């Protein structure tokens, strides 16, 4: 029987390992072939457990396939193709290698059936994505951002590792199974905390807007798609129905749009909107009904497409103009018309405009929250939708492409492959918006399919996005938001500054930690120094004097006396050597008589 499963990670990771030994021109084409092969592998998979391995008494599952893993793997394959197409012009193979390993780690995490396998691929993602920031050598801030990013994800990995080890000790298994939200234990919270770091849950989110704006132009496109969405997947897999996630997700949605509205850097604005949009997904998982989990998965799929396209648009601005700061841009719509058009497709998608993919996914989560009687959460998510259109759909494009007369700043020519990638991304955003069934048929909860988790509340999950009320509601919200921006456009002018977020609190905590560590250490060092000067140094001087005396009187005396004795004996023996034969014979006769006498008397 033919194997019904082939792991996509087994395509990406070997390609990355072989890339250093392959000509650069071939590596670029390989990066396009591998995602296509991965998508074919996803389509050919059968549900079930595959690639099960027993090693050192541990049962590892590398290929758990069900509808939940399929929808994430499907969009991962598509977005990886778009990302590598966008990066096709790169001459350096290092970014390609890091991206291949990063995407391979994401696939490995999605199909992992146990926590050990998940942890391995989780850390691979963390390390590989760090280099997508570090390789931006033209940015002096990149190295520091990469270090902070790696440090924060190491912390998240330690939470995950501690939780899975405690869980294994308590339950005797590493199996990655759904957790009862009513009976969460300490190890469950540690695991959830590790997942929440990657999901950028407030207040564990500051690494994201700190890092993504400093990544390479192409690296940010990859990072916008995989880290946070992999975290959404594992939260949906393990902790659906945990109400703390519903609350924190709504906080994320509102918090992210607030900061995005006051930011100046285009990529930093988009980074905060990752926090906000992932909040919809985390809230949907936390509410824990079939409709909200479907909504979370649908929104993750749509978000990967339009957020990648948004970062492509902002990346084109950075690539061409050399800056992504709104205060330095403006008046570029005639010089970069295609960038503007493709960006606006993504901006309308994230804003939930009807006929774009964000509309068919975001509204499902909000409707599911309302149907589950979480009214305040639904209102919070609606409020976040207003801020999304205000900052990404209006403020950013207005100040980047309009707001000024035509900008005469020098622009670098944008490679054709970047335009093609944006065109394909735009097509997919519109396609899944016009025909939502293409997306809905991938959702984990469908009629005739078994639920992947017994803790998801199986309420009605049928959803029709294109009703008159949904369309009118969307246009009213977006219309009034647009009117408000038009009236306030001279008030919401961006300022050339960077707004401190929770990293300010991190700095305070870090300084306090250094103070706690260094001040006692400095005090102890000062006391020890004084003790050493008054007592230790005198003791060492006395010891040195005694050692010197012992050396002269003892060791030198014994050695010198031995030398002198040997010398005197040698001189005496030398005097007996007269050279006269009769003297030698007489001495021999005397010695012989003495020996004879001794033998006689003792015998």
């Amino acid at each position: 029987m033919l194997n019904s499963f082939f792991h996509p990670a087994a395509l990406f990771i070997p390609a990355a390992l072989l890339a250093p030994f392959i000509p650069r021109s071939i590596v670029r084409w390989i990066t396009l072939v591998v995602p296509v092969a991965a998508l074919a592998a996803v389509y050919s998979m059968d549900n079930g457990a595959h690639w099960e391995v027993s090693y050192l008494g541990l049962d590892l599952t590398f290929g758990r396939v069900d509808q939940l893993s399929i929808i994430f793997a499907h969009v991962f394959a598509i977005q990886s193709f778009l990302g590598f197409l966008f990066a096709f012009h790169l001459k350096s193979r290092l970014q390609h290698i890091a991206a291949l390993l990063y995407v391979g780690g994401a696939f490995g995490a999605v199909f992992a059936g146990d926590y050990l396998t998940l942890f391995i691929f989780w850390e691979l993602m963390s390390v590989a994505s760090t280099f997508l920031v570090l390789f931006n050598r033209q940015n002096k801030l990149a190295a520091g951002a990469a270090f902070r990013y790696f440090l924060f994800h190491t912390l998240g990995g330690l939470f995950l590792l501690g939780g899975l080890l405690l869980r294994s000790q308590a339950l005797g298994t590493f199996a990655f199974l759904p957790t009862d939200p009513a009976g969460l234990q300490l190890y469950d919270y540690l695991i959830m905390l590790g997942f929440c770091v990657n999901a950028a849950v407030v207040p564990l989110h500051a690494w994201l807007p700190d890092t993504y704006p400093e990544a390479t132009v192409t690296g940010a496109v990859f990072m916008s798609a995989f880290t946070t969405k992999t975290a959404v997947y594992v939260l949906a897999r393990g902790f659906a129905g945990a109400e703390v996630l519903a609350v924190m997700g709504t906080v994320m949605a509102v918090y992210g749009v607030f900061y995005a509205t006051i930011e100046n850097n285009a990529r930093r604005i988009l980074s905060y909107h990752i926090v906000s949009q992932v909040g919809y997904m985390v809230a949907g998982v936390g509410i824990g009904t079939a409709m909200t989990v479907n909504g979370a998965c649908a929104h993750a799929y749509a978000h990967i497409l339009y957020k990648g396209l948004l970062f492509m648009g902002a990346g084109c601005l950075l690539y061409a103009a050399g800056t992504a700061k709104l205060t330095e841009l403006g008046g570029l719509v005639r010089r970069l018309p295609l960038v503007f058009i493709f960006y606006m497709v993504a901006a309308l998608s994230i804003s939930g405009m009807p006929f774009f993919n964000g509309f068919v996914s975001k509204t499902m989560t909000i409707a599911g929250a309302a149907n589950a009687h979480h009214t305040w959460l639904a209102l919070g998510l609606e409020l976040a939708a207003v801020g999304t259109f205000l900052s990404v759909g209006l403020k950013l494009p207005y100040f980047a492409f309009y707001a000024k007369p035509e900008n005469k700043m020098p622009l670098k020519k944008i490679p054709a492959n970047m335009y093609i990638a944006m065109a394909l991304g735009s097509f997919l955003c519109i396609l899944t918006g016009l025909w939502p069934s293409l997306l809905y048929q991938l959702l984990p909860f469908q009629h005739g399919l078994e639920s992947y988790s017994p803790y998801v509340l199986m309420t009605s999950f049928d959803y029709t996005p294109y009703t008159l009320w949904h369309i009118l509601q969307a246009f009213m919200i977006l219309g009034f938001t647009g009117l408000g921006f038009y009236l306030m456009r001279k008030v919401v002018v961006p300022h050339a500054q960077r707004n401190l977020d929770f990293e300010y609190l991190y700095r305070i905590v870090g300084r306090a930690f250094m103070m706690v560590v260094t001040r006692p250490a400095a005090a102890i060092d000062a006391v020890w120094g004084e003790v050493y000067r008054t007592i230790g140094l005198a003791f060492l001087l006395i010891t040195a004097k005694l050692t010197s005396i012992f050396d002269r009187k003892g060791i030198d005396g014994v050695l010198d006396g031995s030398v002198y004795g040997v010398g005197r004996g040698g001189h005496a023996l030398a005097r007996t050597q007269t050279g006269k034969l009769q003297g030698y014979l007489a001495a021999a006769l005397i010695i012989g008589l003495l020996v004879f006498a001794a033998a006689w008397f003792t015998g």
Side-chain angles (χ1 to χ4, degrees), residues 54 63-64 92 117 132 150 164 167 187 266 290 298 312 314 318 325 342 365-366 401 425 445 484 503 518 557 566:
S54 294
R64 175 178 51 196
S92 173
T117 303
L132 293 176
F150 181 74
L164 68 89
R167 182 180 181 278
Y187 48 78
M312 289 179 189
L318 179 60
K325 297 179 180 178
F342 295 143
T365 304
I366 298 174
F401 294 98
F445 292 100
E503 69 255 33
T518 57
V566 172

Side-chain angles (χ1 to χ4, degrees), residues 276-595:
S276 177
Q277 296 300 302
V278 171
Y280 284 86
M281 307 168 209
V282 173
V285 169
I287 294 170
T289 67
M291 180 180 286
T292 59
V293 174
N294 268 357
C297 295
H299 200 49
Y301 192 106
H303 179 267
I304 288 173
L305 294 177
Y306 65 63
K307 184 59 71 174
L309 183 55
L310 285 169
F311 268 92
M312 289 179 189
C316 284
L317 288 174
L318 179 60
Y319 182 90
T323 181
K325 297 179 180 178
L326 301 184
T327 50
E328 300 174 11
L329 297 170
L332 295 174
V333 66
R334 293 184 179 180
R335 301 182 65 189
L336 298 172
L338 290 179
V339 175
F340 173 73
I341 292 171
F342 295 143
Y343 173 86
M344 286 309 301
V345 171
L348 294 175
S349 296
I350 192 176
S351 301
M353 178 69 74
F355 315 117
F356 294 86
N357 64 354
F359 173 76
V360 304
S361 61
K362 184 183 296 186
T363 53
M364 181 187 296
T365 304
I366 298 174
N371 292 344
H373 306 292
H374 290 278
T375 306
W376 287 106
L377 299 184
L379 290 175
L381 298 177
E382 285 283 18
L383 177 63
V386 174
T388 300
F389 185 51
L390 177 64
S391 55
V392 178
L394 296 172
K395 177 183 175 179
L396 195 158
Y398 176 75
F399 288 105
F401 294 98
Y402 292 96
K404 299 177 184 177
E406 186 172 349
N407 199 322
K408 300 296 183 180
M409 67 189 304
L411 296 179
K412 187 177 179 181
K413 184 179 180 181
I414 297 174
N417 60 284
M418 297 171 75
Y419 282 120
I420 296 172
M422 287 191 291
L424 290 176
S426 300
F427 171 75
L428 291 174
C429 288
I430 297 172
L431 179 67
T432 51
L434 292 176
W435 287 279
S437 59
L438 296 174
L439 172 57
Y440 291 173
Q441 66 184 359
L442 297 171
L443 295 177
F445 292 100
Q446 299 182 37
H447 295 289
L449 288 181
E450 183 180 356
S451 172
Y452 73 88
S453 171
Y455 306 111
V456 173
L457 187 60
M458 295 302 295
T459 57
S460 174
F461 49 82
D462 293 322
Y463 180 71
T464 304
Y466 287 110
T467 64
L468 181 60
W469 167 242
H470 288 155
I471 295 174
L472 287 176
Q473 182 186 34
F475 278 123
M476 285 190 294
I477 291 175
L478 299 178
F480 280 107
T481 304
L483 177 62
F485 175 78
Y486 177 77
L487 297 175
M488 301 289 291
R489 66 189 185 280
K490 294 183 179 180
V491 178
V492 295
V493 175
H495 300 282
Q497 65 183 28
R498 172 169 173 163
N499 300 294
L500 287 178
D501 191 359
F502 266 86
E503 69 255 33
Y504 182 71
L505 177 61
Y506 301 159
R507 293 176 187 180
I508 293 176
V509 173
R511 289 169 185 165
F513 175 78
M514 292 297 294
M515 187 181 299
V516 169
V517 172
T518 57
R519 287 195 175 182
I524 293 171
D525 181 68
V527 172
W528 171 248
E530 188 64 28
V531 171
Y532 176 78
R533 281 191 296 272
T534 56
I535 300 175
L537 190 59
F539 175 76
L540 287 177
L541 290 173
I542 295 173
T543 303
K545 284 185 178 181
L546 294 175
T547 303
S548 177
I549 294 172
F550 176 74
D551 179 65
R552 291 197 310 271
K553 302 299 183 179
I555 297 176
D556 288 351
V558 172
L559 293 177
D560 293 346
S562 299
V563 171
Y564 293 148
V566 172
R568 287 193 293 270
H571 286 302
L573 184 61
R575 284 195 296 271
T576 63
Q577 306 297 317
T578 61
K580 296 180 180 180
L581 182 61
Q582 59 272 27
Y584 295 154
L585 293 174
L589 180 61
I590 292 171
I591 292 172
L593 290 173
L594 290 174
V595 172

Side-chain angles (χ1 to χ4, degrees), residues 46-99:
D46 291 334
N47 288 356
H50 309 276
W51 288 22
E52 296 177 293
V53 177
S54 294
Y55 180 70
L56 298 178
L58 302 173
D59 295 325
L60 307 179
T61 302
F62 288 89
R64 175 178 51 196
V65 181
D66 58 17
Q67 203 63 25
L68 180 63
S69 56
I70 285 292
I71 185 172
F72 282 88
H74 189 276
V75 71
F76 281 1
I78 292 174
Q79 185 60 30
S80 63
F81 175 81
L82 296 177
F84 283 117
L85 179 58
F86 188 74
F88 188 76
H89 64 281
L90 293 179
K91 295 181 180 179
S92 173
R93 74 182 78 192
L94 294 178
Q95 289 192 52
H96 290 311
I97 293 172

Side-chain angles (χ1 to χ4, degrees), residues 197-219:
V197 169
N198 276 30
V201 172
V202 178
L204 305 173
H205 69 287
W207 59 267
L208 197 156
D210 177 50
T211 305
Y212 285 18
E214 315 305 337
T216 64
V217 169
T218 57

